[in-house]
Amino acid sequence: MAETSPQQRWFPDEIFSIIFEFYVEEAGNPWLLMHVCSQWRTAARHTRSIWSRIMITHAPPLYYESTRRYQGYEICHTVSLLRNALARAAGSPLDIRLLVGHYDSPISGDSYDDLSRRLIDPLHYDKSYLLIRRLETFGTDFEWLCHVTFDGFEFPSLEHAVLETGPCNLNKRIQSSALRLRSLHLKESGNGEVDWELSKFKRLTNFSLDRHWESSGDGAFKTIASISSLVSLYLRTTEINSFTTLSIPTLQTLNLYFTYIKDNLELPRLQTLVMFSSSIPATAEHPLMLPSLTTLELNSCALEDNFYIKAPILQTLSITEQLTRKVPLSERFEKFIEQVINPEYLSPQILCLERVAI
């Protein structure tokens, strides 16, 4: 290891810590910092935040760095690795990814109890769960996650979560204790149900729902409607049909991807609407009123399906279209221009067209 140069000694460790945090934030590897010189090694050891991104898994993915890193996270698949990683990050808010069952290494032979002892118990040993600020669960074995009790776990520091939608004890613990939650992304887990009561999360402003279809029931509708301070909503491959009005008075940004909303919408503060192969209720008889909308992006949406939106202060309208529909694109686009783009509905200051042939 190289000795510290006289010039480097003029910099206190606090300066190096700030630099290291920026470096690791851009997907840098903190282990490389340990091999530069003695001062860098000391500074890196005392910069707890650069060790706070930890991936807990039953087996490391096939494609990962030789220095135990994967996608910016330190891989921990044994008790000793996890305890050492938690010790290096001691006192720093944690970013935890829980990966159990993946295509490189599906679960085979390991009992659920053994997995719990290896992957979860170290978090409980020194109450590291109290410091988790971001938590993500993913993988191919949701059954294992449902098996773990998470007894005694609380998440008072949790602000961002990416979770499966299904009923498991982890989700219940989060719902009961993560009152500082600001961002929540729910992914489909295979059971097709969304049962989250989010009214008590007063700081929750960003919500995403991915791959959820409801032929009956209104769990997704109730979950979205229960958020009192929702600012940004992202829906992907989702259908919402509760036969009532979905009112979100605080919503400012709405992103829809392969999503179909059949409920009437009341979005008085919506400023940005992005739609990709999606539809919303907007007809000539019942136009969608968006008095605050300034940006509208339509990508591969059915322009011929009576798309009526009243947005009196719209500034930018962007239309991107695939050239694969049976109806000639020129006819559909001309119809859209004639029926919709007028002072009564949409009259943007800027009109952007991409892959549109008139």
Side-chain angles (χ1 to χ4, degrees):
M1 181 181 297
E3 293 294 331
T4 306
S5 68
Q7 291 79 9
Q8 287 177 318
R9 294 194 186 100
W10 286 98
F11 291 94
D13 289 347
E14 291 77 9
I15 299 298
F16 282 111
S17 294
I18 295 174
I19 297 173
F20 293 168
E21 288 176 347
F22 278 107
Y23 166 74
V24 173
E25 184 67 24
E26 297 297 325
N29 189 338
W31 286 105
L32 299 179
L33 303 174
M34 303 282 283
H35 300 283
V36 176
C37 64
S38 58
Q39 186 181 18
W40 281 39
R41 184 180 183 88
T42 301
R45 281 178 170 175
H46 289 87
T47 308
R48 304 292 187 179
S49 58
I50 66 176
W51 306 102
S52 62
R53 304 181 71 186
I54 300 172
M55 177 186 292
I56 304 174
T57 181
H58 70 294
L62 293 178
Y63 304 101
Y64 70 101
E65 303 171 21
S66 60
T67 47
R68 299 178 301 186
R69 306 285 293 186
Y70 180 74
Q71 296 181 348
Y73 288 77
E74 180 151 359
I75 297 175
C76 298
H77 59 282
T78 67
V79 172
S80 59
L81 287 176
L82 180 54
R83 286 185 175 176
N84 290 336
L86 293 173
R88 282 188 292 271
S92 178
L94 297 175
D95 181 348
I96 300 293
R97 299 183 75 181
L98 183 57
L99 169 60
V100 179
H102 51 84
Y103 297 108
D104 290 344
S105 180
I107 293 179
S108 60
D110 287 318
S111 68
Y112 287 152
D113 290 338
D114 179 63
L115 284 173
S116 300
R117 285 192 295 270
R118 287 200 287 123
L119 305 183
I120 302 302
D121 288 357
L123 286 172
H124 192 272
Y125 178 75
D126 57 359
K127 297 186 177 181
S128 297
Y129 55 85
L130 295 174
L131 296 175
I132 296 179
R133 183 166 59 186
R134 184 184 184 278
L135 176 64
E136 177 179 359
T137 63
F138 66 114
T140 60
D141 197 316
F142 183 71
E143 182 181 352
W144 172 84
L145 193 61
C146 294
H147 180 80
V148 182
T149 62
F150 291 96
D151 287 338
F153 274 62
E154 295 181 355
F155 300 91
S157 301
L158 187 64
E159 297 182 3
H160 309 279
V162 181
L163 307 168
E164 309 291 341
T165 59
C168 68
N169 291 318
L170 175 61
N171 292 353
K172 294 177 182 178
R173 299 290 181 183
I174 290 175
Q175 290 188 67
S176 64
S177 62
L179 299 182
R180 298 182 62 182
L181 196 64
R182 299 170 54 190
S183 175
L184 176 62
H185 182 170
L186 296 181
K187 301 175 293 182
E188 183 267 335
S189 62
N191 63 0
E193 295 295 335
V194 177
D195 185 19
W196 282 69
E197 172 54 49
L198 301 175
S199 59
K200 64 181 178 181
F201 295 97
K202 304 302 182 182
R203 301 186 182 186
L204 184 61
T205 58
N206 295 273
F207 179 70
S208 302
L209 186 60
D210 197 349
R211 298 192 303 276
H212 179 74
W213 297 94
E214 285 189 343
S215 57
S216 63
D218 54 1
F221 174 87
K222 290 182 178 179
T223 297
I224 296 172
S226 70
I227 307 174
S228 61
S229 56
L230 187 61
V231 174
S232 177
L233 175 62
Y234 174 96
L235 300 176
R236 182 181 180 89
T237 320
T238 299
E239 180 178 2
I240 297 180
N241 184 12
S242 65
F243 305 103
T244 185
T245 298
L246 179 59
S247 178
I248 314 177
T250 58
L251 191 67
Q252 298 180 16
T253 301
L254 176 60
N255 289 272
L256 305 176
Y257 289 79
F258 304 102
T259 291
Y260 302 93
I261 300 178
K262 299 180 181 180
D263 299 333
N264 293 326
L265 297 175
E266 291 183 0
L267 310 171
R269 296 186 182 180
L270 188 69
Q271 300 177 10
T272 301
L273 173 59
V274 179
M275 297 178 57
F276 187 98
S277 293
S278 302
S279 68
I280 56 178
T283 64
E285 294 77 15
H286 302 284
L288 178 58
M289 306 295 295
L290 298 176
S292 302
L293 190 70
T294 59
T295 302
L296 175 60
E297 298 182 15
L298 305 176
N299 192 327
S300 302
C301 294
L303 303 183
E304 68 271 19
D305 291 343
N306 294 326
F307 198 89
Y308 292 91
I309 295 178
K310 288 191 175 183
I313 64 172
L314 185 67
Q315 298 180 6
T316 302
L317 172 61
S318 176
I319 302 175
T320 303
E321 184 66 22
Q322 296 177 353
L323 308 180
T324 58
R325 300 181 182 273
K326 295 181 179 180
V327 180
L329 178 60
S330 59
E331 295 181 14
R332 291 185 289 114
F333 185 75
E334 289 174 359
K335 181 179 179 181
F336 180 80
I337 293 292
E338 293 175 358
Q339 295 185 349
V340 180
I341 299 184
N342 59 61
E344 184 179 1
Y345 293 97
L346 302 177
S347 183
Q349 300 180 15
I350 300 174
L351 176 61
C352 302
L353 306 178
E354 182 177 354
R355 298 200 304 273
V356 173
I358 300 176

